[in-house]
Amino acid sequence: MSFQSLGLSEALLKAVSKKGYTTPSPIQQKAIPPVLEGKDVLASAQTGTGKTAGFTLPLLHLLSENPKQKFRPIRALILTPTRELAAQVYANVREYSEFLNLRSAVIFGGVNQKPQVATIRSGIDVLVATPGRLLDLQNQGLLSIKRVEIFVLDEADRMLDMGFLRDIQKVITSMPDKRQNLMFSATFSKDIKKLAHGILNHPVQVEATPENTTVEAISQKVYRVAKTKKTGLIIKLISEGNWKQVLVFTRTKHGANRLCEKMVKSGITAAAIHGNKSQGARTKALSGFKSGRLRVLVATDIAARGLDIPLLPHVINFELPNISEDYVHRIGRTGRAGANGKALSLVSADETSYLKNIEKLIGENIEVEVIEGFEPDPNASTEPIKQGQGRQRRNKSRNSNSNNSSGNRRNRTNNKNSRRRNDRRN
Ligand code: AMP
């Protein structure tokens, strides 16, 4: 199948070919036709499947078919859970609309609102936004979504994980009832289905597993190691393997910082990316990592969500996530575009039960290796780590202790405070 056969306009085909895409990915093949027909779509797809082009291309096609309106009201709204994802989706919108007479903007929290407001005032057709900043500007009367024709909810599962349900509901009530809705989610829990039911109107359901990110395509290994020896082991693996581009996951922001500092001390160029870092620092870290200036990017789950890093050769779990699905999300970042990916996990005794659950989920036992000098501690307890309890007590807050979305899944609330905290984190 070709992009031509999907019925996209010449201007879009030109942009797609400029990006170097030759064939639509499975999710694009499945999602583009119903979107072009004006139908609501519920798509099961995660980052790496080409989902962004899957909704952006037909959306731009539809908008450009109708004549632009004089004052350019916002006609398409794309809602994403994190700033990084918003920036990436916006970059895609810009690229795909290069040869169209459409204007777009992105808004997210953590940065000055003035330039965002100025762009919106100048008139835009497509707005990419995170829920917090969108509602903020709306409450200040600085933007209106009353003329939205197409609404996209991207990474709906993460939206709920981060406590954005109320915000999404508010956004919905501010848009016209008659509109086209597209919802993308990597997972489909009961809550997601309920949300979809409330938003979508007789949706066409499409599904795509990531092309080159199936678990089978990735070589996985577990290193059993004493907790205290993890830092030494990871430095040894990266240095001796001479690995050039490694994404490392830690469970906490502090853990990410500590590990990053130790790597830098041992001569490995590294940066940490998490919710306590300024937007500028995160953008700089990501671009340094992509360009090869930094060998290691240490990230927490939420911060890494939606990062567009193609052809990632190595992913290391410095700590295993306690939610097994997060493991699949994490390792799904390697082995893209046909490249062979390696996903390694450093596992200490207290993570034994997490490992078992992960193996149950992926339906296979992961190869285990022990490196001499970095053996596991035979006396260590196999009791699971209490997820961030220390800080929870100190903060007297249920949700503010962790930057790891999974760490608090049980504790999650959908209230406003939770959303605010999450917004700051991301
Ligand atoms: P996404 O799932 O939208 O984050 O896209 C993942 C990556 O695939 C991005 O780097 C896209 O630029 C790239 N991509 C999207 N569609 C295609 C395609 N049809 N052919 C090749 N690469 C693509």
Side-chain angles (χ1 to χ4, degrees):
M1 191 185 269
S2 65
F3 278 103
Q4 277 87 346
S5 64
L6 291 171
L8 295 167
S9 69
E10 280 303 320
L12 286 166
L13 293 176
K14 199 169 152 190
V16 161
S17 120
K18 195 173 167 192
K19 281 282 280 180
Y21 305 162
T22 49
T23 325
S25 70
I27 194 71
Q28 291 161 2
Q29 293 180 24
K30 290 178 192 166
I32 293 175
V35 180
L36 286 177
E37 284 173 33
K39 293 186 174 142
D40 278 13
V41 169
L42 176 60
S44 162
Q46 65 186 64
T47 302
T49 55
K51 68 180 168 73
T52 315
F55 60 76
T56 307
L57 292 172
L59 176 152
L60 293 171
H61 181 105
L62 293 174
L63 293 183
S64 62
E65 265 193 332
N66 294 323
K68 78 172 165 63
Q69 294 163 25
K70 204 172 167 200
F71 299 108
R72 288 192 190 259
I74 297 166
R75 294 166 63 200
L77 172 66
I78 304 171
L79 215 52
T80 75
T82 64
R83 300 170 195 174
E84 278 82 8
L85 189 61
Q88 276 164 24
V89 169
Y90 172 64
N92 279 296
V93 171
R94 286 286 299 260
E95 284 173 324
Y96 301 140
S97 59
E98 185 181 346
F99 307 107
L100 295 170
N101 181 16
L102 291 173
R103 291 200 214 141
S104 51
V106 63
I107 57 170
F108 45 73
V111 291
N112 188 346
Q113 70 174 44
K114 270 194 190 155
Q116 300 178 350
V117 173
T119 315
I120 291 167
R121 284 234 170 99
S122 72
I124 50 154
D125 305 278
V126 183
L127 179 66
V128 185
T130 52
R133 179 56 58 100
L134 178 74
L135 290 172
D136 245 11
L137 297 189
Q138 206 193 356
N139 291 340
Q140 296 175 58
L142 297 170
L143 72 80
S144 162
I145 50 173
K146 287 199 177 105
R147 305 280 288 278
V148 166
E149 297 161 30
I150 309 173
F151 171 55
V152 183
L153 189 62
D154 195 13
E155 306 212 344
D157 47 355
R158 287 282 150 167
M159 289 271 194
L160 294 193
D161 284 352
M162 293 168 68
F164 284 136
L165 179 62
R166 285 251 184 102
D167 288 353
I168 295 169
Q169 286 164 339
K170 269 190 215 147
V171 170
I172 304 274
T173 56
S174 308
M175 289 187 290
D177 289 341
K178 195 176 164 299
R179 52 167 208 274
Q180 186 178 6
N181 302 287
L182 317 176
M183 183 165 147
F184 285 72
S185 189
T187 55
F188 278 89
S189 63
K190 245 208 257 152
D191 289 343
I192 288 288
K193 286 184 188 146
K194 206 166 130 195
L195 180 68
H197 188 72
I199 295 178
L200 304 165
N201 193 7
H202 300 297
V204 173
Q205 291 199 28
V206 297
E207 198 177 323
T209 43
E211 252 177 311
N212 296 302
T213 57
T214 50
V215 172
E216 302 89 72
I218 299 162
S219 115
Q220 302 168 71
K221 194 185 265 187
V222 157
Y223 291 97
R224 297 302 303 234
V225 56
K227 208 179 185 69
T228 51
K229 292 183 177 163
K230 280 191 177 186
T231 305
L233 178 56
I234 198 169
I235 288 171
K236 177 187 164 76
L237 290 171
I238 294 171
S239 309
E240 291 185 3
N242 200 19
W243 296 341
K244 298 278 191 262
Q245 203 179 31
V246 191
L247 180 62
V248 177
F249 284 94
T250 60
R251 202 156 25 218
T252 66
K253 298 176 222 185
H254 297 293
N257 283 341
R258 267 197 311 268
L259 181 59
C260 191
E261 276 165 24
K262 288 193 179 138
M263 285 198 179
V264 171
K265 267 190 197 146
S266 24
I268 298 172
T269 49
I273 184 164
H274 56 66
N276 281 1
K277 296 267 174 182
S278 70
Q279 188 61 27
R282 287 194 277 178
T283 309
K284 194 170 157 225
L286 185 59
S287 68
F289 185 60
K290 278 189 181 178
S291 70
R293 192 168 48 76
L294 295 173
R295 285 168 72 185
V296 175
L297 190 66
V298 188
T300 55
D301 285 278
I302 289 191
R305 182 71 183 166
L307 291 187
D308 180 17
I309 309 164
L311 296 171
L312 205 56
H314 294 96
V315 167
I316 303 183
N317 296 307
F318 187 72
E319 286 139 347
L320 283 180
N322 63 324
I323 300 288
S324 307
E325 284 82 2
D326 285 348
Y327 175 83
V328 180
H329 283 307
R330 287 179 179 188
I331 72 164
R333 301 183 161 279
T334 182
R336 285 191 189 179
N340 269 339
K342 282 201 175 67
L344 312 170
S345 303
L346 311 192
V347 181
S348 49
D350 53 357
E351 295 170 294
T352 304
S353 62
Y354 299 161
L355 179 60
K356 278 197 188 130
N357 290 337
I358 287 164
E359 290 182 330
K360 216 190 274 170
L361 177 78
I362 63 172
E364 62 180 285
N365 289 331
I366 306 170
E367 183 192 334
V368 175
E369 193 174 328
V370 173
I371 304 272
E372 212 184 310
F374 298 90
E375 292 85 358
D377 177 356
N379 301 317
S381 160
T382 55
E383 270 294 296
I385 317 137
K386 297 272 185 303
Q387 294 295 319
Q389 277 202 342
R391 285 194 64 200
Q392 260 179 21
R393 270 189 226 114
R394 274 202 301 279
N395 290 343
K396 289 190 183 157
S397 152
R398 294 204 306 158
N399 236 359
S400 63
N401 66 314
S402 167
N403 52 354
N404 177 340
S405 75
S406 60
N408 280 312
R409 195 155 294 190
R410 258 174 278 117
N411 285 340
R412 254 174 227 127
T413 55
N414 288 329
N415 65 29
K416 209 170 180 180
N417 291 336
S418 157
R419 195 267 298 157
R420 291 236 170 89
R421 283 192 292 271
N422 280 314
D423 204 29
R424 276 204 300 275
R425 290 198 319 233
N426 287 285

